[in-house]
Amino acid sequence: MGRVTERRKVIRIRDGAVSTRPDTLVAEEPLEIRLNGKPLAITMRTPGDDFALAAGFLVSEGVLANTYDLQNIVYCAGATGEGGSNSYNVVDVRTSPEVVIPDITLERNVYTTSSCGLCGKASLDAVRTTARWPIADTPPVRVEPALLASLPDRLRAAQRVFDRTGGLHAAALFSEAGDLLDIREDVGRHNAVDKLVGRALQNGDLPLSRVILLVSGRASFELAQKAVMAGIPVLAAVSAPSSLAVDLAAETGLTLVGFLRGSNMNVYAGEDRIALQATATQG
């Protein structure tokens, strides 16, 4: 299994003084995801939780919805590295016989970078996958702004690998009361979310209808879609959302919060789940 971090020699310059020292870097390696033996996607990821990543990816694709849909996940023995050893960079997801694979999933074979979750989609319509658990139909969740404001610090405090490398994104699930339920780190924020969702699928916890998803960077369309497909009602990000993420949130009933920094935040959609006290003013 690949390591989460690797050491490299670096020339360090501090106040004009030059020195040589080893530095700890986050590992980045390709992971090929196969579906029932056929290549489906390649993503650049931080090794670890690969089975959860693959499962979460297939939840966002509309392939998997519960543990019964998943027959097994294995590393492909034929994927060998130097010296004939298994590289642990190819996984094959086997679905139960009764699972119907969406046509759009069968038709595409994509490469995804560590900054883009679903590159290669032909059009916007292709990624508007029908959600199995409509968020608008979920039990009401009410979140205090003060609670949301406290979550980034809790996320940062739980990032173990980031402390050593400074090069990882993180995604975390919190309860309505602000309790940390799970956290995953990865070189790609979309991978971190897939690992969370995949672990929830493996544990039989989908849909995640009463949790808050917090991501350490921006809120892209892909992350909003992953939240919707997992039944997550609230997505918060420390940085900006994209216009498509806001559009998708508005269409599906997802609560989308951006620029979550200190006590400040912007609510872009689904404001009914935020316990707003002050009267809104027009800007």
Side-chain angles (χ1 to χ4, degrees):
M1 179 77 64
R3 294 181 295 177
V4 175
T5 62
E6 295 184 5
R7 302 282 278 177
R8 295 288 190 274
K9 185 175 72 173
V10 60
I11 296 174
R12 184 177 182 182
I13 303 174
R14 297 292 185 273
D15 297 324
V18 180
S19 61
T20 302
R21 51 161 288 179
D23 194 25
T24 301
L25 304 177
V26 59
E28 182 176 23
E29 296 179 8
L31 178 70
E32 179 182 333
I33 300 173
R34 297 179 182 174
L35 180 59
N36 296 324
K38 297 181 180 180
L40 176 65
I42 297 176
T43 184
M44 300 302 297
R45 98 299 189 195
T46 300
D49 291 322
D50 290 336
F51 291 177
L53 191 163
F57 177 82
L58 290 173
V59 170
S60 69
E61 286 290 296
V63 176
L64 302 177
N66 56 63
T67 55
Y68 303 107
D69 293 338
L70 180 62
Q71 191 172 82
N72 67 358
I73 306 178
V74 297
Y75 285 107
C76 294
T80 58
E82 296 181 4
S85 61
N86 196 313
S87 66
Y88 295 99
N89 284 334
V90 181
V91 299
D92 187 19
V93 181
R94 295 281 174 173
T95 61
S96 299
E98 61 273 14
V99 171
V100 177
I101 310 300
D103 290 340
I104 187 61
T105 299
L106 293 173
E107 292 170 359
R108 72 187 195 86
N109 185 314
V110 303
Y111 167 78
T112 71
T113 71
S114 57
S115 61
C116 173
L118 295 170
C119 300
K121 289 284 193 176
S123 67
L124 184 62
D125 290 339
V127 291
R128 294 185 190 276
T129 311
T130 302
R132 296 175 186 258
W133 306 288
I135 294 175
D137 298 340
T138 59
V141 173
R142 293 281 286 177
V143 183
E144 295 285 344
L147 186 146
L148 284 174
S150 71
L151 299 186
D153 285 344
R154 299 184 195 182
L155 174 68
R156 178 65 184 84
Q159 286 188 255
R160 297 178 180 178
V161 182
F162 182 89
D163 286 336
R164 292 147 53 199
T165 66
L168 279 181
H169 288 289
L173 297 177
F174 292 89
S175 71
E176 297 172 80
D179 299 319
L180 178 62
L181 304 175
D182 197 3
I183 180 173
R184 300 292 152 182
E185 292 179 283
D186 198 279
V187 70
R189 64 177 63 86
H190 68 285
N191 288 335
V193 173
D194 280 340
K195 289 177 178 180
L196 285 176
V197 173
R199 184 61 60 94
L201 175 104
Q202 292 171 324
N203 293 338
D205 292 335
L206 292 183
L208 295 166
S209 58
R210 303 199 68 85
V211 304
I212 302 164
L213 171 61
L214 176 65
V215 295
S216 61
R218 63 186 179 87
S220 65
F221 177 89
E222 291 84 4
L223 294 189
Q225 186 206 18
K226 291 178 186 298
V228 170
M229 292 301 293
I232 297 171
V234 181
L235 169 61
V238 300
S239 192
S242 69
S243 61
L244 284 181
V246 175
D247 291 344
L248 181 63
E251 288 180 12
T252 59
L254 174 70
T255 296
L256 180 58
V257 177
F259 290 109
L260 183 56
R261 301 170 184 175
S263 61
N264 301 321
M265 66 196 75
N266 291 345
V267 181
Y268 292 89
E271 62 274 7
D272 54 304
R273 294 191 183 91
I274 309 299
L276 302 175
Q277 303 297 330
T279 300
T281 59
Q282 296 292 328

